[in-house]
Amino acid sequence: YSLDGILVFGLLLVCTCAYFRKVPRLKAWLLSEKRGVWGVFYKAAVIGTRLHAAVAISCIIMAFYVMFIK
């Protein structure tokens, strides 16, 4: 349990949910609820699509950190 592990998990969650939002079957199945526990996936997908440039840069920085610094 570390901060960088939580950041990696959060970035992967946002990137995965943003990808799921582009796939019609997965969007209807996973991202249909906007409230509750399943709403977390919807909110992560919205963050991933609206802030796609910032999320992509964060993923690149985190990959560099995990591969070369850690």
Side-chain angles (χ1 to χ4, degrees):
Y1 302 109
S2 61
L3 180 62
D4 58 345
I6 293 170
L7 289 175
V8 168
F9 176 76
L11 282 172
L12 287 174
L13 179 72
V14 168
C15 292
T16 304
C17 289
Y19 173 74
F20 284 168
R21 191 170 182 170
K22 299 293 183 187
V23 180
R25 286 187 180 176
L26 293 175
K27 180 180 179 181
W29 177 68
L30 186 64
L31 303 174
S32 61
E33 293 292 325
K34 295 182 181 180
R35 294 185 181 189
V37 176
W38 291 103
V40 173
F41 298 116
Y42 173 78
K43 291 173 185 175
V46 169
I47 290 170
T49 53
R50 289 186 183 170
L51 300 174
H52 62 277
V55 171
I57 291 170
S58 299
C59 286
I60 292 170
I61 291 170
M62 186 56 73
F64 180 79
Y65 171 75
V66 168
M67 289 175 61
F68 298 115
I69 297 174
K70 186 175 178 186

